[in-house]
Amino acid sequence: NAGVTQTPKFQVLKTGQSMTLQCAQDMNHNSMYWYRQDPGMGLRLIYYSASEGTTDKGEVPNGYNVSRLNKREFSLRLESAAPSQTSVYFCASSDRQGVYGGQYFGPGTRLTVT
Amino acid sequence: GEDVEQSLFLSVREGDSSVINCTYTDSSSTYLYWYKQEPGAGLQLLTYIFSNMDMKQDQRLTVLLNKKDKHLSLRIADTQTGDSAIYFCAETSYNYGGSQGNLIFGKGTKLSVKP
């Protein structure tokens, strides 16, 4: 049981390049999330998917798109990377069948945009 | 708006108790959470407390909840060097996620344990 996995672990992009961050979970969770973590800013929610087939914007969605490919996989795409998107990106998942909404995180992708 | 506040740093000696404090704003939060992040790693769910509880104990961890003051604390007994990490408090937010809400995180408290 791997939990939440993310690829790649590290990435360097030039301004204007595009890339997709991949996330998968094997816990049969309904909900999945993408966050970014910046020094002094804590974690900020980019997009989430409450269930398969739905996606919604979080606090900081501009410059990103997401796809909930199936119940297991949730990808984050940067169409035209900007230096302001240099950050550590975390994917998380949770089972929100009940009220409990504890989230389980992947190891992160460290992205640098030059 | 919603905000979760934590002090940024805490330094203790090995063997002492650590107390990490957090204040939150949404009185409708059903669950409150503590996460631990070690260097270079993701966030690990440490423990949580249901909003109708005052206290929860789990081995060396004790969570105290004061709903009136919207204050949450995490006490780590017999703190070890392996406890050095950043600790995040989180509450449920209903701004994102409709009726079930999503999580709003504090900025994290960096705990340093000196031998």
Side-chain angles (χ1 to χ4, degrees), chain B residues 63 66 86:
Chain B
V63 179
N66 180 331
I86 301 175

Side-chain angles (χ1 to χ4, degrees), chain A residues 45-101:
Chain A
L45 182 65
I46 305 171
Y47 270 93
Y48 67 97
S49 170
S51 60
E52 187 179 354
T54 69
T55 60
D56 285 287
K57 295 178 181 178
E59 183 186 354
V60 289
N62 291 346
Y64 305 95
N65 284 302
V66 291
S67 296
R68 183 74 183 266
L69 304 168
N70 47 54
K71 192 171 185 179
R72 288 188 64 247
E73 298 171 290
F74 189 38
S75 63
L76 178 72
R77 183 158 177 84
L78 286 71
E79 289 290 353
S80 178
S84 61
Q85 294 179 304
T86 293
S87 189
V88 182
Y89 291 86
F90 289 102
C91 177
S93 70
S94 72
D95 182 359
R96 295 173 67 200
Q97 292 296 330
V99 177
Y100 174 69

Side-chain angles (χ1 to χ4, degrees), chain B residues 38-55:
Chain B
E38 296 181 356
L43 276 72
Q44 172 194 352
L45 179 59
L46 263 187
T47 187
Y48 62 92
I49 188 166
F50 190 49
S51 58
N52 70 352
M53 298 168 65
D54 298 324
M55 185 180 88

Side-chain angles (χ1 to χ4, degrees), chain A residues 33-36 43-46 88-90 103 105, chain B residues 105:
Chain A
Y33 312 82
W34 277 105
Y35 293 90
R36 60 179 288 173
L43 272 85
R44 293 181 292 171
L45 182 65
I46 305 171
V88 182
Y89 291 86
F90 289 102
Q103 296 178 15
F105 283 76
Chain B
F105 290 84

